[in-house]
Amino acid sequence: MRGAVVGLLALGLVASAAGVWRTRGRPPLEPEAPFDPLAQALASGSRVDNREAPIPSMCYTKTEGVSNPCWTCHTGGVGDNIMDDAALQAEYAFSDVGLTNQWSNLFTDRSSAMEDISDEEVLEYIRQDNYTPLRTALLGRPGGFKGWVPDLDLTRGFDADGFARDGSGWRAVRYKPFLGTFWPTNGSTDDVFIRLPAAFRRDAEGRPSMAVYRLNLAILEAAMTMDPELRDVKAARRRVEPVDERLGGVDLDGDGVLEASVEEVRGLPSHYVGGAAKVPVRRSYYPVGTEFLHTVRYVDPDVPTLLSTRMKEVRYSRKDEEHEGLRVQTLYLGEREKKLQGRLPVFPGNPELGLVNEFGWRLQGFIEDARGRLRVQTMEEHAFCMGCHTNLGVTVDQTFGFPRKVPGREGWRHQDLRGIPDVPQLGHAKPEVLTYFERVKGGDEFRANDELLSRFFPGGALDEASVRRAARGGDRDLTWLVTPSRERALELGRAYMALVREQTFTKGRDTLLAPPKNVLPAVENGSTGLEDAGLIFEDGRLHLAWE
């Protein structure tokens, strides 16, 4: 990520729609040489300066005994995830390396660099396609590319049911975004796509079958979204898209009759169907070969979905191995022991193939270079991704998005926050965002989102009635709570563009308009002050009470 960009910055370069950089009032630069997306990662080798890169910047929040954003990730353990790391809300427990906050970009003032970027430049930049050129560059790379090559053709789009029109097997997932950092008002939009292995997309005779694929996805949806705390699985229910039970000979709704169209799963069948009939269904676990594509984008204020064309990051994950329940529990216990001993994390792999965690997931990431082209992340940049997808108490089989899928047919299309209500987490009485605002005392981990503070905390007090409007449907939904003003969206774009030109992602990739006040440059292990204040919450969940 440490590209040589000093010369580019000095010239004040911006990207044209054709992907060739130019300067204001000067002739266009000559076209660049052929682009190798792997070059920067190869040049950095296996170097990892921040051995605690898996600790995200949010963990250095200054709680001051009044604000607890930690509960969203660190919880009392959920179902088969027995990590139970709620104690991290009460005490700072960093390794010796982690005591120093190495995300120094949090303390960098980029206001002068942002002033040089106009609104027009922001909009032109974020509306350019850097995903298709990445595919082209990887496919045409001399010597090939051994890692995952983006094989979803976004230019062909999706049908009315969210299936990719390119026949790749990818399907769009509509979901309620995770709390805080993942809201558009805090800097980024994102979307998620899922793909199951070929066997899940074929019937018992081995023929491609979209109907069988739908049925298997409905079973997976139930397995990953049902309340994992329910001891009696048969008591669990999940609304799904209409599927044909007869194709797999499974009575999904439990009425004793195999029907051509059912929209509810009660309990779980023992196995998937069609070509995957030998694969057991495991609650809260994806089958081996499950893939996710997650893109992180800018906020386009003039697009109804807020999703920009340009991508900040492309993230890919694949479940390569499956462990039995006892083995998984041993791994979680091992993670807790490592933390207690202050042992530094180590992940096998390399930038070209991605990094692998102990739970069998392979993760690979691409991020913008100084020209805005997507490139393979370095070893250290990959390490950044591993913490949240390896050892958190709140995750479901190390994932965030899919367990938060909008139920049924409405959840099988490209991401769109419009129409999504602020439903509570399972076991909670109040809407989720309202609960977050109450516990955090702000709209992000650092309490640095001044726009949300002025909108929902007038005079410093939470306006609960206003926030609750998004839970009632009607003229207010999730967008009412988490969409930035047009002015803020452009400012957020400016801030991240300045960071892209610096290429200092190993020092942090947060989208911030100014250095936040509520962040610690260094930590002293010990009390966070939250326990004495009665602000420890062990009830954080990904699962939502949709019905």
Side-chain angles (χ1 to χ4, degrees):
M1 299 300 296
R2 299 184 177 87
V5 298
V6 176
L8 297 178
L9 292 173
L11 292 172
L13 301 179
V14 296
S16 73
V20 178
W21 288 60
R22 65 172 184 263
T23 58
R24 294 178 182 173
R26 299 181 185 178
L29 297 178
E30 291 298 320
E32 61 193 79
F35 171 56
D36 180 3
L38 186 58
Q40 200 157 326
L42 290 177
S44 68
S46 59
R47 179 175 178 177
V48 177
D49 291 330
N50 180 6
R51 293 292 306 281
E52 283 286 24
I55 299 176
S57 60
M58 295 83 79
C59 289
Y60 292 94
T61 295
K62 188 184 297 183
T63 62
E64 297 183 315
V66 297
S67 171
N68 183 356
C70 317
W71 69 274
T72 61
C73 292
H74 302 300
T75 185
V78 184
D80 283 352
N81 183 342
I82 62 168
M83 188 64 191
D84 191 1
D85 53 2
L88 294 178
Q89 298 177 38
E91 290 191 13
Y92 294 113
F94 291 90
S95 68
D96 290 344
V97 173
L99 290 174
T100 300
N101 183 352
Q102 300 189 52
W103 304 115
S104 57
N105 277 338
L106 293 170
F107 311 105
T108 302
D109 184 352
R110 293 185 176 80
S111 55
S112 60
M114 292 166 60
E115 289 175 357
D116 292 335
I117 305 174
S118 68
D119 289 355
E120 292 75 20
E121 287 179 62
V122 172
L123 293 173
E124 179 185 17
Y125 183 76
I126 68 174
R127 291 170 180 171
Q128 295 163 14
D129 175 15
N130 62 346
Y131 173 83
T132 303
L134 171 66
R135 297 181 65 210
T136 302
L138 290 174
L139 290 171
R141 184 176 182 271
F145 182 71
K146 297 176 182 178
W148 174 74
V149 176
D151 57 351
L152 170 59
D153 187 347
L154 290 172
T155 62
R156 296 181 61 179
F158 305 87
D159 65 20
D161 295 315
F163 287 104
R165 290 197 176 96
D166 61 7
S168 61
W170 287 105
R171 196 176 192 187
V173 180
R174 183 166 170 249
Y175 55 97
K176 191 180 184 190
F178 194 57
L179 298 163
T181 294
F182 294 88
W183 291 336
T185 183
N186 289 324
S188 299
T189 55
D190 63 347
D191 52 6
V192 168
F193 311 92
I194 189 172
R195 178 167 61 187
L196 297 184
F200 291 76
R201 297 177 254 148
R202 298 181 180 275
D203 63 20
E205 284 72 42
R207 297 169 299 202
S209 172
M210 292 300 291
V212 168
Y213 194 15
R214 290 176 186 271
L215 186 54
N216 279 324
L217 283 168
I219 294 171
L220 178 65
E221 177 178 346
M224 301 308 296
T225 58
M226 286 180 172
D227 185 354
E229 300 296 321
L230 280 176
R231 294 183 179 275
D232 182 6
V233 179
K234 295 180 180 179
R237 297 184 177 187
R238 173 69 176 188
R239 178 165 57 86
V240 297
E241 67 177 323
V243 291
D244 188 345
E245 295 177 306
R246 302 170 302 174
L247 294 174
V250 289
D251 182 16
L252 292 183
D253 61 358
D255 65 356
V257 180
L258 296 181
E259 301 171 84
S261 180
V262 299
E263 298 183 44
E264 187 177 60
V265 176
R266 299 183 183 181
L268 289 173
S270 61
H271 290 74
Y272 290 96
V273 303
K278 294 183 179 180
V279 180
V281 176
R282 300 178 63 195
R283 182 168 59 160
S284 300
Y285 291 98
Y286 301 96
V288 170
T290 299
E291 297 170 281
F292 283 104
L293 171 57
H294 176 208
T295 81
V296 182
R297 311 186 186 207
Y298 292 81
V299 182
D300 190 327
D302 301 325
V303 173
T305 63
L306 303 178
L307 293 164
S308 69
T309 300
R310 178 176 294 279
M311 298 178 183
K312 294 180 175 180
E313 299 180 46
V314 171
R315 301 171 175 178
Y316 169 79
S317 60
R318 183 182 188 277
K319 189 170 185 179
D320 286 345
E321 293 183 80
E322 183 174 17
H323 302 301
E324 294 302 319
L326 183 59
R327 172 62 175 159
V328 173
Q329 293 181 22
T330 301
L331 290 172
Y332 277 122
L333 292 173
E335 285 290 339
R336 292 173 62 184
E337 187 64 25
K338 289 177 186 176
K339 286 186 176 296
L340 290 173
Q341 296 176 359
R343 292 166 57 187
L344 299 178
V346 177
F347 301 100
N350 59 58
E352 186 170 9
L353 296 174
L355 301 188
V356 181
N357 67 23
E358 292 179 316
F359 297 89
W361 286 94
R362 179 181 301 274
L363 283 73
Q364 183 155 37
F366 305 85
I367 199 165
E368 287 182 273
D369 75 353
R371 287 177 173 259
R373 303 166 300 190
L374 287 167
R375 60 166 179 79
V376 178
Q377 291 190 144
T378 65
M379 192 72 171
E380 184 166 343
E381 290 161 352
H382 270 100
F384 164 85
C385 305
M386 302 304 288
C388 294
H389 293 281
T390 299
N391 54 17
L392 289 184
V394 78
T395 56
V396 182
D397 200 2
Q398 318 312 313
T399 67
F400 288 87
F402 193 74
R404 299 171 65 82
K405 177 188 175 295
V406 174
R409 173 178 281 167
E410 298 88 352
W412 290 120
R413 57 186 175 92
H414 201 196
Q415 178 69 333
D416 188 346
L417 301 185
R418 293 173 297 173
I420 298 180
D422 181 24
V423 296
Q425 293 186 6
L426 277 181
H428 289 212
K430 294 184 177 182
E432 184 182 43
V433 176
L434 175 61
T435 300
Y436 182 88
F437 284 171
E438 287 181 336
R439 295 179 177 183
V440 177
K441 310 295 190 298
D444 66 304
E445 294 83 357
F446 300 129
R447 311 190 296 285
N449 188 325
D450 291 336
E451 185 170 87
L452 275 191
L453 288 172
S454 63
R455 184 185 297 174
F456 296 116
F457 293 80
L462 177 62
D463 183 355
E464 180 174 335
S466 181
V467 178
R468 279 187 178 275
R469 294 180 66 182
R472 303 187 189 120
D475 65 335
R476 292 291 183 264
D477 54 23
L478 196 60
T479 61
W480 161 249
L481 299 176
V482 301
T483 299
S485 66
R486 193 173 195 276
E487 180 183 8
R488 179 173 172 83
L490 293 171
E491 281 292 291
L492 291 167
R494 261 188 284 277
Y496 196 80
M497 286 173 67
L499 179 59
V500 166
R501 295 177 182 184
E502 286 182 10
Q503 288 293 284
T504 56
F505 296 121
T506 55
K507 298 179 181 179
R509 58 182 80 175
D510 301 89
T511 306
L512 298 167
L513 302 187
K517 298 177 182 178
N518 297 310
V519 61
L520 298 168
V523 173
E524 291 185 12
N525 280 337
S527 174
T528 62
L530 295 174
E531 188 169 22
D532 292 340
L535 295 176
I536 300 299
F537 310 101
E538 298 187 14
D539 58 353
R541 299 289 184 270
L542 290 183
H543 299 89
L544 300 165
W546 289 103
E547 304 301 338

